Structure formats: C-alpha cells, structure tokens
Amino acid sequence: MASLQQSSLTLTTKFPSFCSFSSTPNTFKFLHPFPSSAISLTATTPKRISSFLPKAAASTAAFPQDIGDVLADVTIFTATGQSVKFEDLWDQNEGVAVVALLRHFGCPCCWELAKALKETKERFDSAGVKLIAVGIGAPNKARILAERLPFPLDCLYADPDRKAYDVLGLYYGIGRTFFNPASAKVLSRFNELREATKNYTIEATPDDRSGVLQQGGMFLFKGKQLLYAWKDEGTGDHAPMEDIFDVCCKVPVA
C-alpha cells in the first residue's frame, strides 16, 4: 500500500494534471493529459455505439461473426499521412495480426502500452504475427509519439475520427475515462509508465479534445476471424500481454 501511495505522489509531481485525486467527484482527474479547462466534466457526452454494447472481457462472444468484414472496410491513416483500409494491413485469408487500439497519442498510458508493444515486437515477428498499433489523433500526432518514444513508424496508424473504435464498440465517456476502478491498475505499473514517458509531450494530444474520452482495446485476428478481444474497462486497463501470446502460439501460421 505504501509503495502505491508513493507512486501516486510521484506521478502527481511529474504530471500535475495527469493524475490527481480528490474526494470531490468534480475535481477527480485520472490520467488527465490536458488542463481541466479544455473539457467540461459536466458536459453531455455523445452517445456512441459502445454505449449500447454489453460489458466484455477477453472474449469474442460479444462481437458479430462478420466483425472482420466490417472492420476491413474502415479507412485509417499511416503515420506518414496516407489513407489505408484495414483489409490492406494484413493477409485477410490466413494472416495473423494483433491490432492494438491505443487511447489518444497524448495519453501517457498510450505511450506506456506502445513501449510494451515495441519491446514485444520481436516475439510477434518470430511467431509470424503482424503488429498493428492504432491511436487517436492526426498522423502528425502519431509521428510525435513515434519519434519521441520511439516506436516503429511502419506499425503505427492514426484514426482521428475513431472509426475503428466505433466499429469494435470500445468504451467511451467520462465515467470510463476518469472514474472506472480498473484505471487504478496503472499505479502498479508506475516504473513502466515513468520509463515510457521520459520524452513525453502534451503536444501529441489530438486537437479534437473529445477523443481523450475514448478507451482502447486489443484484438487478434487470423484473416478476418476474430480470435481474441479485449476492451479496456478504463484508462490504463490494458490486455495482459501473456494472454495474447498464449493465443498467438496456438494459431498455426500459414
């Protein structure tokens, strides 16, 4: 308990608006990467597809069987600014791909997860699995993360309109972003977070601040077949990497 309290104190010192706690709900800001004046916590948030989907864990049961076909037609951008459809990112028949949907590029937890993915890329490569990381913001925001973390540009994509997030029904809203108990997990990963944000800059935050209320997730596909699905319950509630590797190792690669 003492170590968690110390982590919270140090995290608050490094990111004063990033992790502050209060007994008053309106002043509780968890993993808040921009000044409180940038967005109102009392504002009405838009209803999105994810608002109507059932709560999901690491299961594909909540997704329609044709989710791969629907996602295939979604257009996003490479980090260098070219538009590309999901169907062009991996072999849609037999190819195996891990699709990591990060939060926005200005979220420190996004940097932490991106660093973890970069460090495990060699493992994915040796298993014949393609790594695809998608974040919220324009391509220039993606390049900030790629250059400062750093992260391989050829694995990083931008989804400024959150199209893939909507298709996959990922959670969105004030409650999920600031008040979900699952977000407390990040305090146990303080050292990893500190290491990942050595070169962090708030400039990576998307210009459309509504994107900071979007949660991410992790998905594993073979062709268009969804093999593994994880929807982050709150900010920093990342999928266990070993669970993903357990599934990858059971998938025969063509």
Side-chain angles (χ1 to χ4, degrees), residues 92-112:
Q92 295 290 286
N93 294 314
E94 296 295 330
V96 181
V98 167
V99 180
L101 279 89
L102 314 172
R103 294 189 72 242
H104 64 91
F105 292 116
C107 174
C109 285
C110 169
W111 288 51
E112 179 214 357

Side-chain angles (χ1 to χ4, degrees), residues 143-155:
R143 291 195 297 274
I144 292 174
L145 181 147
E147 292 165 6
R148 295 179 71 102
L149 187 58
F151 189 87
L153 271 178
D154 60 345
C155 296

Side-chain angles (χ1 to χ4, degrees), residues 118-175:
K118 181 188 71 171
E119 291 172 348
T120 54
K121 184 178 182 298
E122 186 175 340
R123 247 180 111 178
F124 285 127
D125 290 344
S126 63
V129 178
K130 184 170 183 180
L131 173 62
I132 296 166
V134 183
I136 300 166
N140 67 307
K141 303 296 186 179
R143 291 195 297 274
I144 292 174
L145 181 147
E147 292 165 6
R148 295 179 71 102
L149 187 58
F151 189 87
L153 271 178
D154 60 345
C155 296
L156 189 61
Y157 298 86
D159 186 3
D161 298 319
R162 292 170 280 146
K163 294 178 181 178
Y165 295 76
D166 272 350
V167 164
L168 293 166
L170 298 184
Y171 296 121
Y172 178 92
I174 288 171

